[in-house]
Amino acid sequence: MLMMLRQTRAFIIAPFDSEGLHAVDRAEFRFLPVEDLNLDVSTALLWRTDDVRFGRLAADLAALLPG
């Protein structure tokens, strides 16, 4: 997360109490606490096509999804 922020012009929405935010130097990054933000986030599981280790994980996760 920090490498991306340091190398690009970007921002991140993250849980305020997340472990990653506790490690951030507040002199280097600005923080804006946001309350009452109801946010649905679409996510994806990505892995290299030649890495067969995650096929079972993907199948297990897909089985838990509605529809």
Side-chain angles (χ1 to χ4, degrees):
M1 172 181 75
L2 294 178
M3 289 178 63
M4 183 193 75
L5 283 176
R6 284 186 180 118
Q7 296 175 5
T8 64
R9 298 179 66 95
F11 67 90
I12 291 177
I13 296 176
F16 193 72
D17 59 351
S18 71
E19 184 178 318
L21 290 184
H22 291 294
V24 172
D25 180 2
R26 293 181 185 244
E28 183 179 5
F29 296 99
R30 295 183 188 264
F31 283 77
L32 176 63
V34 178
E35 295 183 18
D36 297 330
L37 177 65
N38 295 318
L39 184 64
D40 289 327
V41 178
S42 297
T43 58
L45 176 63
L46 299 150
W47 68 94
R48 294 181 54 87
T49 55
D50 62 350
D51 191 339
V52 297
R53 297 175 297 162
F54 299 105
R56 176 65 189 256
L57 173 62
D60 290 347
L61 287 173
L64 296 173
L65 296 174

